[in-house]
Amino acid sequence: MVHYDLAIIGSGSGNTLITPEWDNKKVAIIEGGTFGGTCLNVGCIPTKMLVYPAELARAADDAGRLGVDLQHTGTRWADLRDRIFTRIDSISEAGRAYRADELQHVDLYEEEARFTADRTLVTASGAVITADQVVIAAGSRPVVPGIPGLDLPQVHTSDTVMRLDEQPRRMLIIGGGYIAAEFAHVFSALGTDVTLAVRSGQLLRSLDHTVSERFTERAQSQWTVLTGRQVTRVDSNADGSVTATVVATDGGESKVGADVVLVATGRTPNSDRVGALEAGFDLTADGRIAVDAFQRVTREGKPVPGVWALGDISSPFQLKHVANHEARVVSHNLLHPDALHASDHRYVPAAVFTRPQIATVGLTEEQALERAERTGSRVAVAVQQYGSTAYGWAMEDTTGIVKILAEEDTGTILGAHIMGHEASNLIQPLIQAMHFGLDAFTMARGQYWIHPALAEVVENALLSLRAPST
Ligand SMILES: Cc1cc2nc3c(=O)[nH]c(=O)nc-3n(C[C@H](O)[C@H](O)[C@H](O)COP(=O)(O)OP(=O)(O)OC[C@H]3O[C@@H](n4cnc5c(N)ncnc54)[C@H](O)[C@@H]3O)c2cc1C
Ligand SMILES: NC(=O)c1ccc[n+]([C@@H]2O[C@H](COP(=O)([O-])OP(=O)(O)OC[C@H]3O[C@@H](n4cnc5c(N)ncnc54)[C@H](O)[C@@H]3O)[C@@H](O)[C@H]2O)c1
């Protein structure tokens, strides 16, 4: 048995907890998978390193109507893939080596660990680790539904699809969420024939209805989108391809051929992999480890002394910037038990790097209307087309929108939803306004907006929320 001041399960966001304040203490970091976790190895970073070249390939589609003829003549998949993973794998390996070899006060355990008591862990090989404080940062993993054939080698999740030996000619994607939308864009732009099978009538259903509806239309114009369909089995063919059986809501059955199937049906927290239930920690209805506002793990609603959790294993938001925020909170709280910080989940933004790009923060229109009913207030809604601004004319944009929801009397911004070019950057001033309490009227009129930048579409949306009469 080895005792530590701090033990961390998971080397994704958990790795950032090893700050200089721990230099004279003993720290264990336990990683049962690839060092660096999801975002670095199989998540945000490699996907966005694929999205950027996909955007370049798609530029050929958009340029023609502006009078510039470009052609995407081919994709060198192996070069694309190797550029991304040569870089990522070396970052992961350097991080691993730093923890394993260079830091004298840190021990890296490269195996899984489970709780046997509140601050006691046992690793897969039987090593027993005790610690004054334990942080659970063990993340989440893809869910693969129990559909016959999803264990075939042609079937992938986001964990494996980016490292394919060859770019598939045809890809079937099951699911209509973030991962489906991003990979549909990437593979289609690079030249793969993409089909999505989605159970409901819409893609990205969790987003504001205007964005979800308009995005679904755009998706249908770019990819084959089978809405109201459920994949019921996948069979292997003699030529190495697969055939999926797809059943419509009305019972009609059809077949979809593909070289690769991507399952993008959500991610489940790794609570089971750390033995959270057996340890008696509270779990949420969707299987996350329950934490209080200070990221302390609870048992029957009360904090378990010295046990913390952060990121996908405990957060309702499976987003890296949220995991990073919670890691900063835990980092502070570990060292300042008498002055704890709470996590701030009021205005959590997200972006979907699909085509067109989407960004969102705050309430959807439905949620804002519910809130208005509760509080006796009124909601002002502005929907501004990119095409109504000078930069939108330059781009000849016909689909980009900025939608802003605000309280009618006060201008308090309740939510913002953007679909179009650089949505993830365009939304940042609105996130800032929400966090710092800047109302829509002051935000619109109290500063310069660069002309003729695309940000004018945000300015115009804010202006159309109506100003106070003074
Ligand atoms: C394809 C994809 C794209 C994404 N894109 C974005 C994006 O653009 N923007 C964004 O904000 N978010 C994105 N995300 C989400 C983001 O990657 C996650 O929210 C984030 O990485 C979670 O970090 P974490 O530290 O909680 O967990 P992780 O980074 O997953 O780290 C957990 C680690 O714990 C290890 N582990 C698990 N159980 C054990 C155990 N029992 N013992 C030891 N080790 C264990 C795992 O091997 C893993 O390495 C994406 C996710 C995916 C899958
Ligand atoms: N840009 C980003 O920030 C980004 C990118 C990728 C992933 N992520 C994170 O990772 C999470 C997981 O992504 P995801 O796309 O897998 O999940 P998701 O929750 O966004 O979407 C899951 C989709 O699968 C469908 N589905 C669920 N079960 C199904 C079944 N049995 N059969 C058919 N369809 C089914 C759902 O209806 C939904 O359309 C996201 O929620 C997000 O938090 C973030």
Side-chain angles (χ1 to χ4, degrees):
M1 185 177 88
V2 190
H3 186 77
Y4 293 89
D5 295 288
L6 171 65
I8 303 160
I9 312 176
S11 67
S13 316
N15 188 39
T16 64
L17 300 172
I18 311 175
T19 53
E21 287 88 342
W22 294 93
D23 279 357
N24 298 318
K25 299 191 173 131
K26 275 192 77 166
V27 178
I29 182 157
I30 309 154
E31 174 52 67
T34 310
F35 194 92
T38 302
C39 181
L40 174 66
N41 294 296
V42 290
C44 340
I45 296 177
T47 50
K48 272 79 246 182
M49 288 177 82
L50 279 168
V51 166
Y52 187 74
E55 299 287 320
L56 297 179
R58 276 294 185 202
D61 291 9
D62 295 332
R65 66 200 153 87
L66 309 184
V68 178
D69 294 323
L70 303 176
Q71 220 184 338
H72 171 218
T73 54
T75 300
R76 284 176 281 117
W77 171 254
D79 288 354
L80 198 72
R81 182 199 58 207
D82 294 348
R83 179 188 77 88
I84 294 170
F85 288 106
T86 304
R87 189 152 187 180
I88 283 175
D89 292 349
S90 64
I91 295 170
S92 167
E93 178 46 32
R96 194 202 71 80
Y98 183 59
R99 293 303 184 216
D101 308 328
E102 285 181 41
L103 291 182
Q104 297 305 312
H105 66 294
V106 176
D107 288 338
L108 171 63
Y109 291 81
E110 297 186 87
E111 51 184 330
E112 294 231 344
R114 299 175 71 82
F115 282 87
T116 54
D118 282 357
R119 276 162 288 117
T120 305
L121 303 165
V122 62
T123 69
S125 68
V128 176
I129 295 168
T130 59
D132 293 345
Q133 315 219 51
V134 179
V135 180
I136 314 168
S140 63
R141 61 179 184 274
V143 173
V144 178
I147 298 169
L150 292 193
D151 53 352
L152 288 169
Q154 297 92 330
V155 179
H156 292 262
T157 66
S158 53
D159 281 354
T160 51
V161 77
M162 291 182 270
R163 295 200 190 229
L164 291 173
D165 289 337
E166 285 172 19
Q167 184 187 346
R169 199 169 57 79
R170 297 167 306 163
M171 176 181 280
L172 170 65
I173 302 180
I174 307 177
Y178 279 49
I179 291 179
E182 290 189 350
F183 280 115
H185 168 41
V186 164
F187 279 100
S188 156
L190 299 179
T192 297
D193 188 357
V194 170
T195 301
L196 286 106
V198 185
R199 288 182 306 185
S200 73
Q202 261 168 249
L203 297 171
L204 296 174
R205 256 191 323 155
S206 61
L207 300 185
D208 179 90
H209 73 93
T210 307
V211 169
S212 168
E213 284 158 18
R214 292 188 188 208
F215 177 71
T216 304
E217 279 170 28
R218 289 286 283 127
Q220 282 163 336
S221 69
Q222 308 180 72
W223 318 308
T224 304
V225 182
L226 307 174
T227 53
R229 313 293 167 93
Q230 177 86 49
V231 174
T232 54
R233 60 176 302 115
V234 177
D235 292 293
S236 193
N237 302 320
D239 65 357
S241 68
V242 292
T243 300
T245 305
V246 181
V247 175
T249 1
D250 65 8
E253 200 177 280
S254 55
K255 304 280 183 193
V256 177
D259 304 307
V260 161
V261 176
L262 170 64
V263 180
T265 51
R267 294 175 63 83
T268 190
N270 284 327
S271 314
D272 53 346
R273 281 174 62 182
V274 298
L277 185 68
E278 296 81 348
F281 300 148
D282 292 341
L283 295 179
T284 63
D286 55 357
R288 287 173 287 120
I289 295 179
V291 289
D292 67 7
F294 308 105
Q295 302 297 142
R296 294 180 295 193
V297 170
T298 62
R299 178 180 291 124
E300 292 174 6
K302 297 204 176 62
V304 180
V307 186
W308 312 77
L310 63 90
D312 282 11
I313 199 155
S314 55
S315 182
F317 307 97
Q318 294 180 332
L319 295 166
K320 180 59 173 169
H321 41 272
V322 177
N324 285 344
H325 168 76
E326 293 174 356
R328 283 193 293 273
V329 168
V330 171
S331 189
H332 169 92
N333 289 350
L334 286 168
L335 297 159
H336 302 90
D338 299 325
L340 297 180
H341 283 177
S343 287
D344 182 352
H345 292 138
R346 285 171 306 154
Y347 311 115
V348 173
V352 194
F353 296 80
T354 177
R355 184 170 188 260
Q357 206 177 88
I358 291 169
T360 179
V361 62
L363 304 183
T364 62
E365 186 172 345
E366 298 83 340
Q367 292 165 338
L369 290 172
E370 264 172 46
R371 175 188 177 277
E373 210 166 293
R374 258 187 293 115
T375 56
S377 57
R378 289 161 64 91
V379 180
V381 183
V383 179
Q384 194 75 33
Q385 313 288 330
Y386 276 35
S388 70
T389 61
Y391 205 88
W393 307 342
M395 291 168 57
E396 207 62 56
D397 188 279
T398 53
T399 52
I401 51 157
V402 172
K403 177 172 179 175
I404 303 177
L405 307 153
E407 216 172 60
E408 198 174 85
D409 294 343
T410 62
T412 300
I413 302 171
L414 303 173
H417 311 280
I418 305 184
M419 182 178 91
H421 185 64
E422 288 298 338
S424 61
N425 286 318
L426 219 47
I427 202 165
Q428 195 62 41
L430 291 157
I431 300 168
Q432 191 171 0
M434 290 175 79
H435 269 277
F436 296 108
L438 181 63
D439 69 83
F441 310 138
T442 313
M443 185 180 177
R445 292 175 174 76
Q447 64 181 321
Y448 279 108
W449 292 83
I450 292 174
H451 179 72
L454 186 53
E456 283 184 334
V457 65
V458 175
E459 178 193 16
N460 290 346
L462 290 166
L463 285 170
S464 74
L465 288 165
R466 282 201 287 136
S469 48
T470 51

